Amino acid sequence: MDFNSSSPKTISVFSTFATPFDNNSPRVNDTLNPKTRKPIALWPGMYHSPVTNALWEARSKIFERLLDPPKDAPPQSELLTKTPKQSRTSILYNFSTDYILREQYRDPWNEVRIGKLLEDLDALAGTISVKHCSDDDSTTRPLLLVTASVDKIVLKKPISVDIDLKIVGSVIWVGRSSIDIQLEVIQSTKEGSDASDLVALMANFIFVARDSETGKAAPVNRLSPETEQEKLLFEEAEARSMLRKRKKVEERKECEHGEVNRLEALLSEGRIFCDMPALADRDSILLRDTRLENSLICQPQQRNIHGRIFGGFLMHRAFELAFSTAYAFAGLVPYFLEVDHVDFLRPVDVGDFLRLTSCVLYTELENPEQPLINIEVVAHVARPELRSSEVSNTFHFTFTVRPEAKATKNGFRLRNVVPATEEEARRILERMDAETLHSRNGVCK
C-alpha cells in the first residue's frame, strides 16, 4: 500500500496545535493568500479536529460556497455523471513522525482511540459526498447533505498509534437522493503484507441530499462505475439498499414467530430476581443494573458546516459511554469489535439537551475465548420547556475482553443479563433477531 503523502489524492493530517497558516507549514495551499481569506479555524459552524481541518483546508473553495451560498440562487438544473474515482479521497495520519498528532489519538493501550476515528470517518464521508454532489457552478445553490445512517462498522485488527494510518473512501452507489460511501482504514504492520491484511476497519455511510431552501429530498449526480471492482461494489451496495427496505418487515416477522414463548423464557429468570432475590442466579444480573448515563448541552463548537451537531461527535460520545459500560460490567478492559447499523432519526441542534443512556443488552458466552458484550446506547433530545423527549439515535456496540487482561484474572466469566420487564425483553429479542438477519444475509461482513 502506497502511503506516499505527496499523492494528489491524499490529504495529510497534522496536529491541531500548530496553526495551518504558518508560512513554513506544508498545509498552506499556495494558490490561496492567507492574508486575504479568513482562517478555517475561524469559520462559523464547523467542528474542528485534525481531520476536519485538513479536509476543509484541502476543499476550501467548495466549503466556502456552503458557508455563504449565493443569494436567490437556483438549484442545480442538470445532473452530472461522475465516476467513483472523482470522489475518491484519502487522508494520511503521520503518526510515525508527528508526536503531537500521535498523542491526540493515543488511548491508554497505545492504540488509536476508536471514538475519534468514528468522528473522522463521518467527516471524510461528508467531504466525499460533497465532492460527488458538487456541480462546480458558483451560480447554483449547493445541496444540504446529512448522515442518514451508518452500516455495520467492523474492526478487523488492532490499530496502532505508532504507525502511519490511511483512510480511503469513495462513492460506490447512489439512489435518487441517497449516496453510499465506503471507507477503508488501512495500516501496514510489516513489509510485503497482502493488501487484504492491511485493512483494519471497514464502514459504509449513507448520506441523503436535501434542498438547502425547501428541505425536501433533492436528486444527486449519477454514478458510473468503471472498473470491475467498482461495478461489484455498486451491485453489492444496491443489494444492501434493497435489503434495508425489506429489513423492518423481515425483523417484525422474525420477532412475531414464537414471540410469546421467547419472551416468557427471557422473563422467567428476571422474575426470580425481582420476587426472590436471595434465590437468584449469581452468574446473572438484571439489565437495569448495568445502566450508565450522561447528559450534555450541545455547544456551538460541536456543530458542522450546516449548523447541526456533527454526526461523528454523537458517535464519539456514544462510543465512550458504551466502552465505559462494558468496562464497568466486565471488570476488565474491553476490546471493541463492531458497531451495528445506525439510523440518524432526528437532527440534533445547538442548544439541545442531549441525554445518553446505556446498558448491557445481552451477552454471548458460547465461545469462552471471545465472550461478547452487546451494549445499547440511546440518545434522547430533551426539551425541558416543552416537557418532551425524542430519540435521536440508537447505537449497538459489540465488545469482547482484551486477551491480555483476561489472562490476569483466573476463572474469569461474564455474567448473563436478564430483563425484568416485557419492554426490556422485547428490545433484547429485536436485537438478537436483527443480528441473525444480518448474518443470514451477509450484510457488511
Side-chain angles (χ1 to χ4, degrees), residues 289-358:
D289 292 334
T290 69
R291 287 175 178 157
L292 290 181
E293 177 179 339
N294 63 30
S295 303
L296 65 145
I297 303 298
C298 297
Q299 303 295 337
Q301 294 80 9
Q302 296 150 2
R303 69 194 191 276
N304 63 18
I305 203 162
H306 300 300
R308 293 274 170 74
I309 299 303
F310 180 46
F313 173 80
L314 299 176
M315 284 197 291
H316 186 174
R317 294 303 296 260
F319 174 85
E320 298 288 353
L321 181 60
F323 186 95
S324 300
T325 304
Y327 201 171
F329 171 76
L332 293 176
V333 179
Y335 179 76
F336 169 73
L337 294 176
E338 63 184 39
V339 53
D340 201 3
H341 183 92
V342 180
D343 286 314
F344 289 77
L345 304 176
R346 182 196 181 284
V348 182
D349 294 315
V350 173
D352 279 349
F353 175 29
L354 187 67
R355 183 166 161 261
L356 297 167
T357 58
S358 67

Side-chain angles (χ1 to χ4, degrees), residues 337-383:
L337 294 176
E338 63 184 39
V339 53
D340 201 3
H341 183 92
V342 180
D343 286 314
F344 289 77
L345 304 176
R346 182 196 181 284
V348 182
D349 294 315
V350 173
D352 279 349
F353 175 29
L354 187 67
R355 183 166 161 261
L356 297 167
T357 58
S358 67
C359 68
V360 179
L361 203 55
Y362 65 94
T363 55
E364 297 178 53
L365 310 176
E366 291 80 8
N367 181 2
E369 296 302 314
Q370 191 181 67
L372 303 181
I373 309 169
N374 293 272
I375 307 290
E376 178 187 72
V377 180
V378 182
H380 292 87
V381 175
R383 296 183 179 276

Side-chain angles (χ1 to χ4, degrees), residues 225-354:
E226 295 178 310
T227 68
E228 290 302 316
Q229 177 66 13
E230 290 171 353
K231 291 175 182 177
L232 177 62
L233 290 174
F234 186 94
E235 292 171 359
E236 291 176 346
E238 194 162 45
R240 284 196 299 271
S241 177
M242 296 297 294
L243 180 63
R244 283 193 294 271
K245 294 176 182 178
R246 302 196 314 262
K247 180 181 171 183
K248 290 186 179 180
V249 175
E250 292 192 31
E251 284 184 352
R252 186 161 55 248
K253 289 180 180 178
E254 288 285 330
C255 196
E256 288 172 357
H257 180 65
E259 181 178 21
V260 174
N261 292 337
R262 296 165 73 202
L263 281 173
E264 185 62 30
L266 279 174
L267 286 168
S268 60
E269 184 66 26
R271 291 196 186 99
I272 296 175
F273 267 91
C274 297
D275 299 339
M276 298 173 286
L279 300 179
D281 184 355
R282 291 297 175 259
D283 288 330
S284 297
I285 186 173
L286 287 176
L287 181 150
R288 67 190 181 197
D289 292 334
T290 69
R291 287 175 178 157
L292 290 181
E293 177 179 339
N294 63 30
S295 303
L296 65 145
I297 303 298
C298 297
Q299 303 295 337
Q301 294 80 9
Q302 296 150 2
R303 69 194 191 276
N304 63 18
I305 203 162
H306 300 300
R308 293 274 170 74
I309 299 303
F310 180 46
F313 173 80
L314 299 176
M315 284 197 291
H316 186 174
R317 294 303 296 260
F319 174 85
E320 298 288 353
L321 181 60
F323 186 95
S324 300
T325 304
Y327 201 171
F329 171 76
L332 293 176
V333 179
Y335 179 76
F336 169 73
L337 294 176
E338 63 184 39
V339 53
D340 201 3
H341 183 92
V342 180
D343 286 314
F344 289 77
L345 304 176
R346 182 196 181 284
V348 182
D349 294 315
V350 173
D352 279 349
F353 175 29
L354 187 67

Side-chain angles (χ1 to χ4, degrees), residues 1-15:
M1 180 59 59
D2 181 13
F3 274 33
N4 184 4
S5 62
S6 64
S7 168
K9 293 292 185 180
T10 301
I11 301 168
S12 290
V13 180
F14 294 83
S15 161

Side-chain angles (χ1 to χ4, degrees), residues 81-88 132 170-171 222-226 230:
T81 298
K82 294 191 174 184
T83 65
K85 184 178 180 180
Q86 288 176 275
S87 68
R88 187 168 293 120
H132 179 80
S170 64
V171 176
R222 297 176 292 267
L223 185 70
S224 177
E226 295 178 310
E230 290 171 353

